[in-house]
Amino acid sequence: MTIVPVNRRAFIKSSAAVTAGLVLSPAIIGRAEAATLKLKCSSSLPNDPKFANGRVYYDNLVKNLKGNGLGEQVEVAFFPDNQLGQEIDVINSVKLGVIDLMVSGSSISANLVPLVGTFDLGFLFSSFPQQTKAFESGAAKPIEDALLKGSNIRIIAWAYNFGSRSVLARKPVKTPEDLAGLKIRTLPNPVITECLRLMGAAATPLAFGEIYTALQAGVLDGLEHDPPTILASKFFETAKFYALTQHNFSPLAIYFSDMTYNRMDPKLRDGFLDAAKKAAVDTRAHGLAVEKEALAALAEKGVTVAECDREAFRKRVAPQHENFIKARPDSKAVIDIIRATQA
């Protein structure tokens, strides 16, 4: 198992050639599956084994593959820190089968299948444990089915982002009025962008890899993200006030190319999927523990971590749910399950 620095242009060129070869030469597939299966796993986050969810998931996956006796049969190369491109490029590469695995929030795939944006609605979940119960009660399946049908991408496991998303800014934020006029980075996702706009911010969509320089240049006044990501990516160096809005408990998705799924030997695939699901469970436990540690570390680095008027923000965002259901009626069943699930 390897963590690989890579030249993106060379990777894309070579991957395209490999993909073409597989299409033109089916016999190669059989020979490849008889040997070690090599997979590529991408994450936008830094290569931090404690505070970056992609690296933590990767380490857990390697551990569980070995535990299932597949350490010599499956080799996963890990590409952190946007090495294979910005997330929107990577999710499209997963769709095409050029990249096999991607560890990221559910939000990025809403650009391919809008129904996935259901999970981005502000103040939808009350906690991560409540989210897991809702998914186990059926809230995840319609989303998984829609993504597979609409983009040839499977979600083979769900984990947690390492903490709820809150607002880091250059000035204190306690009420919606404090957010007025502040350029707050959001994911390039219309649902999250709308959530921050309703909360009062000048919501500014931007690719993850561009956040730090935009904060440095003053193009942004802040961003919304979870504590470990803010710590691992050093965003605290440019903004010092963290308001615990906790507006989004974003699920972490383990995306898997359907092309890779279909070319795997079924016996090997079953063992791999079992390891992938076990790795998600391990990553969830790690995420719950590390959020508190990250908050404490941010405070030590000079960040003011403060409670805010969450109810005022929640009331501002409340109309988003019904408007989303009107625009996408198939989301109602998912939202109803989540609302009915208690932590």
Side-chain angles (χ1 to χ4, degrees):
M1 305 299 172
T2 52
I3 300 171
V4 185
V6 68
N7 178 284
R8 183 185 169 207
R9 182 176 297 176
F11 165 76
I12 293 173
K13 183 177 180 181
S14 63
S15 296
V18 170
T19 302
L22 290 176
V23 171
L24 294 173
S25 306
I28 294 176
I29 298 176
R31 292 200 298 272
E33 290 180 341
T36 301
L37 178 65
K38 296 184 178 182
L39 304 177
K40 301 179 183 71
C41 178
S42 176
S43 169
S44 66
L45 297 189
N47 190 29
D48 187 315
K50 186 174 186 178
F51 293 113
N53 55 46
R55 171 64 190 276
V56 171
Y57 178 79
Y58 168 76
D59 288 344
N60 283 322
L61 177 61
V62 171
K63 178 189 71 175
N64 282 287
L65 284 171
K66 290 179 179 177
N68 282 4
L70 299 178
E72 300 300 320
Q73 298 180 59
V74 181
E75 180 180 328
V76 183
F78 181 56
F79 299 87
D81 208 16
N82 290 304
Q83 287 183 12
L84 303 185
Q86 299 297 336
E87 285 190 311
I88 190 63
D89 301 317
V90 173
I91 195 74
N92 277 292
S93 292
V94 175
K95 176 180 179 179
L96 297 172
V98 176
I99 297 172
D100 307 290
L101 284 158
M102 179 184 185
V103 182
S104 184
S106 60
S107 308
I108 193 64
S109 58
N111 292 287
L112 301 179
V113 177
L115 182 63
V116 185
T118 305
F119 293 158
D120 295 324
L121 292 169
F123 300 94
L124 177 65
F125 298 104
S126 60
S127 69
F128 281 118
Q130 184 251 353
Q131 180 186 100
T132 294
K133 288 184 179 180
F135 284 7
E136 291 174 347
S137 297
K141 191 174 188 309
I143 304 297
E144 294 167 358
D145 291 346
L147 190 61
L148 179 58
K149 181 179 179 180
S151 66
N152 297 317
I153 296 174
R154 293 175 178 268
I155 293 179
I156 55 173
W158 294 98
Y160 303 149
N161 276 293
F162 290 176
S164 56
R165 299 178 80 97
S166 290
V167 174
L168 180 73
R170 296 182 186 276
K171 56 172 280 189
V173 172
K174 293 185 178 181
T175 67
E177 290 72 25
D178 294 329
L179 266 182
L182 295 187
K183 297 184 293 294
I184 302 298
R185 180 268 178 178
T186 74
L187 282 155
N189 172 298
V191 180
I192 289 186
T193 300
E194 176 67 3
C195 174
L196 266 292
R197 187 192 69 78
L198 290 171
M199 286 171 65
T204 307
L206 193 70
F208 186 88
E210 300 173 15
I211 297 174
Y212 191 91
T213 54
L215 286 167
Q216 276 187 319
V219 175
L220 294 175
D221 297 309
L223 70 147
E224 50 89 44
H225 225 302
D226 60 78
T229 298
I230 289 170
L231 185 64
S233 300
K234 302 186 185 300
F235 296 141
F236 61 85
E237 294 179 348
T238 57
K240 294 293 186 181
F241 297 93
Y242 195 48
L244 296 176
T245 55
Q246 296 182 312
H247 54 273
N248 186 297
F249 288 85
S250 176
L252 187 70
I254 314 305
Y255 297 107
F256 191 44
S257 171
D258 193 46
M259 292 183 66
T260 304
Y261 177 93
N262 287 322
R263 70 181 173 87
M264 290 178 73
D265 176 86
K267 291 182 180 179
L268 185 63
R269 184 173 64 206
D270 290 346
F272 171 80
L273 294 176
D274 180 68
K277 291 173 183 177
K278 289 176 180 175
V281 173
D282 294 340
T283 303
R284 288 202 294 263
H286 179 94
L288 289 176
V290 83
E291 179 183 14
K292 293 180 181 178
E293 189 171 342
L295 282 171
L298 287 173
E300 290 176 1
K301 293 182 180 297
V303 175
T304 299
V305 179
E307 297 291 338
C308 62
D309 191 348
R310 291 189 72 240
E311 183 61 18
F313 286 113
R314 189 194 66 77
K315 287 181 179 179
R316 285 276 196 110
V317 175
Q320 186 185 39
H321 292 206
E322 299 311 315
N323 290 336
F324 191 86
I325 290 171
K326 288 179 182 177
R328 306 200 176 280
D330 46 352
S331 69
K332 185 178 186 304
V334 174
I335 293 171
D336 285 347
I337 293 172
I338 294 169
R339 286 174 171 172
T341 304
Q342 299 298 315

